[in-house]
Amino acid sequence: EVQLIERGGGEVQAGGSLRLSCIHFGLGRDDYAVGWFRQSPGQEPEGVACITLGVGDTTYGDSVKGRFALSRDESSNTITLQMNSLKPEDTAVYYCAADEEPICAHVPYFHHHGDGTQVTVFS
């Protein structure tokens, strides 16, 4: 059974930084993709960042490129999203997600995801 446990989130002033972590269990295959998507009320889910565990390729959504960075710690099964230069429009619930089909463009629709963690950026 795949389990994804999110840590981090909270409130920060615009321009500040936050870090989100996702501890994953049950990903028994190296060809999984793991990433983050976010969703605001009334909005479609948006892919934020994603990494393919086998190849190690990392992709980012256009709105976060240059500000967010995804890293991986294999020893602890943890994916970390470092979010810098945060903007009010980054406010959303952020979900860690994983899928056996490692197509990062589909991260908002991955089969497995956590419960989400709220990120609020105030101006």
Side-chain angles (χ1 to χ4, degrees):
E1 179 185 358
V2 175
Q3 287 187 305
L4 303 167
I5 301 173
E6 298 122 337
R7 294 284 186 266
E11 296 184 357
V12 67
Q13 192 169 20
S17 299
L18 285 173
R19 181 178 299 173
L20 305 181
S21 295
C22 174
I23 306 171
H24 56 84
F25 302 95
L27 301 184
R29 294 159 43 179
D30 287 341
D31 54 356
Y32 266 87
V34 184
W36 294 87
F37 70 91
R38 65 188 183 187
Q39 189 165 24
S40 303
Q43 301 295 317
E44 291 293 318
E46 176 189 7
V48 175
C50 177
I51 184 168
T52 55
L53 296 186
V55 179
D57 288 341
T58 306
T59 59
Y60 297 93
D62 289 341
S63 63
V64 306
K65 284 180 181 176
R67 299 188 298 122
F68 291 13
L70 192 66
S71 61
R72 170 191 180 188
D73 182 347
E74 296 182 44
S75 65
S76 63
N77 289 346
T78 302
I79 303 294
T80 299
L81 183 67
Q82 178 66 41
M83 305 184 293
N84 299 323
S85 302
L86 283 160
K87 305 174 182 180
E89 50 264 45
D90 294 317
T91 296
V93 178
Y94 284 68
Y95 297 87
C96 180
D99 202 292
E100 299 88 337
E101 190 170 9
I103 302 175
C104 280
H106 299 167
V107 64
Y109 308 104
F110 277 1
H111 285 113
H112 311 284
H113 62 80
D115 294 331
T117 184
Q118 178 70 45
V119 170
T120 302
V121 185
F122 55 91
S123 56

